Amino acid sequence: MVLSSSQLKNQLDPRLPTPLYYQLQKIIQKSIDEGLLQPGEKLPSERELAKTYDINRLTVRQATNALVNKGVLVRKRGLGTFVAQAKLNQGLFHLTSFTEDMISRGLKPATLLLSFSMEAPEPQVQEELNLHPGEKIYLIERLRLASQEPMAREISFLPFSLFPGMEKKDLEHGSLYNLLRKKFNLTLGRARETLEAVAAEKTEADLLGISPGTPVFLRERLTHTEQGEPFEFVRSFYRADRYKFFFYLER
Ligand code: GLP
């Protein structure tokens, strides 16, 4: 077993100012980062780890709890503690599509069209998209998958007037942005996004394969064409156990 191997033995140093639980947490994290422990692999038991590192079980628990809270490890009742799937680390700097994001990571994007309809917009959508009273929108709801794993649920609202003749079959599989580019000659410009945490409701949780009430990231995007016209308002619900977003800040 990797963590009880001789090279990792006795790496905890009680003379250091860093608490022992944190030293162990770092060792486990490093083993995962370096691929010594793979996603899905079971961690040695608390008892084994306590013995290997000559510390008490509470210290082991503190280290594993911290990693469970970060989503690096998962506990399965009655089975033990396992290495979680690595999160997708996504920088929010460029206006990209789900399809492009997945391909750039070597994952295979897939889409399940959950609904496609023409509707009267809700007030927020009407305001964001600058719609005239009475103007209709397309409501497109999709489940987005990466290499067959559900990652996000997306509800997109697009003004009917900009994309007349859009059909359900156009959206059954591929990329919305590709469709808008090819069929409607649209060139993407810029977007404004917000990011917040919300609790997944039952239907959404079932689709994403998570428990109801689990936090998900809600990203709302208002997208403009190159000419500055808003053409899309989207609510994307990303699994928080599979995504980590990052930004750069300068001053
Ligand atoms: C991302 C964005 C959505 C956007 C979508 C388009 O997922 N969060 O706002 O609508 O990309 O992706 P695609 O062109 O793959 O359908």
Side-chain angles (χ1 to χ4, degrees):
M1 195 154 292
V2 175
L3 286 180
S4 49
S5 70
S6 55
Q7 74 275 39
L8 288 171
K9 254 188 188 172
N10 302 323
Q11 276 197 352
L12 304 191
D13 186 347
R15 290 162 308 177
L16 290 177
T18 325
L20 290 175
Y21 88 87
Y22 191 66
Q23 293 185 38
L24 178 59
Q25 183 184 327
K26 287 282 186 198
I27 290 176
I28 299 173
Q29 179 75 64
K30 194 161 169 255
S31 309
I32 295 170
D33 294 345
E34 289 175 354
L36 297 171
L37 277 172
Q38 294 283 332
E41 199 170 317
K42 188 170 183 234
L43 218 65
S45 70
E46 269 175 24
R47 199 162 42 81
E48 283 175 85
L49 287 171
K51 198 163 157 239
T52 307
Y53 293 101
D54 196 18
I55 48 177
N56 74 47
R57 283 174 67 169
L58 278 178
T59 309
V60 174
R61 174 79 15 175
Q62 212 180 343
T64 52
N65 273 350
L67 291 167
V68 168
N69 289 339
K70 286 180 81 181
V72 174
L73 297 177
V74 274
R75 271 196 234 294
K76 296 186 186 164
R77 201 183 297 246
L79 294 175
T81 307
F82 295 80
V83 180
Q85 293 297 319
K87 288 184 182 175
L88 274 75
N89 211 357
Q90 188 176 343
L92 297 182
F93 313 106
H94 302 293
L95 176 50
T96 53
S97 69
F98 181 85
T99 304
E100 290 164 341
D101 292 342
M102 293 307 116
I103 291 173
S104 71
R105 294 191 149 76
L107 297 170
K108 196 166 172 274
T111 300
L112 190 66
L113 183 62
L114 301 170
S115 72
F116 176 86
S117 55
M118 219 183 3
E119 312 253 336
E122 54 175 272
Q124 187 192 0
V125 173
Q126 169 155 14
E127 198 180 334
E128 298 279 15
L129 291 173
N130 275 336
L131 301 175
H132 302 298
E135 249 193 280
K136 290 270 168 75
I137 44 112
Y138 291 108
L139 191 159
I140 302 160
E141 185 180 354
R142 299 181 295 165
L143 184 68
R144 316 302 309 261
L145 303 102
S147 299
Q148 295 176 0
E149 189 189 5
M151 289 297 190
R153 169 182 170 239
E154 294 194 315
I155 308 171
S156 318
F157 307 91
L158 290 92
F160 173 76
S161 59
L162 294 183
F163 310 108
M166 189 186 284
E167 291 177 279
K168 189 170 174 219
K169 67 170 171 46
D170 291 337
L171 285 156
E172 247 141 25
H173 302 293
S175 155
L176 172 65
Y177 287 176
N178 277 347
L179 171 78
L180 300 183
R181 249 192 315 260
K182 286 191 187 136
K183 189 162 173 174
F184 298 95
N185 281 323
L186 179 135
T187 310
L188 292 172
R190 62 191 164 82
R192 182 209 74 205
E193 280 211 6
T194 57
L195 177 66
E196 61 190 303
V198 295
E201 38 82 11
K202 173 87 172 75
T203 329
E204 179 163 272
D206 288 350
L207 284 168
L208 293 175
I210 55 176
S211 313
T214 310
V216 286
F217 288 114
L218 164 59
R219 279 171 65 185
E220 285 189 344
R221 175 184 288 187
L222 178 68
T223 329
H224 298 78
T225 63
E226 202 180 28
Q227 294 74 36
E229 185 171 16
F231 72 89
E232 174 200 50
F233 181 72
V234 197
R235 295 198 181 105
S236 304
F237 300 86
Y238 284 82
R239 282 175 57 173
D241 61 334
R242 302 293 284 109
Y243 269 90
K244 183 173 184 174
F245 294 106
F246 69 96
F247 317 85
Y248 289 121
L249 309 174
E250 279 176 30
R251 79 175 206 164

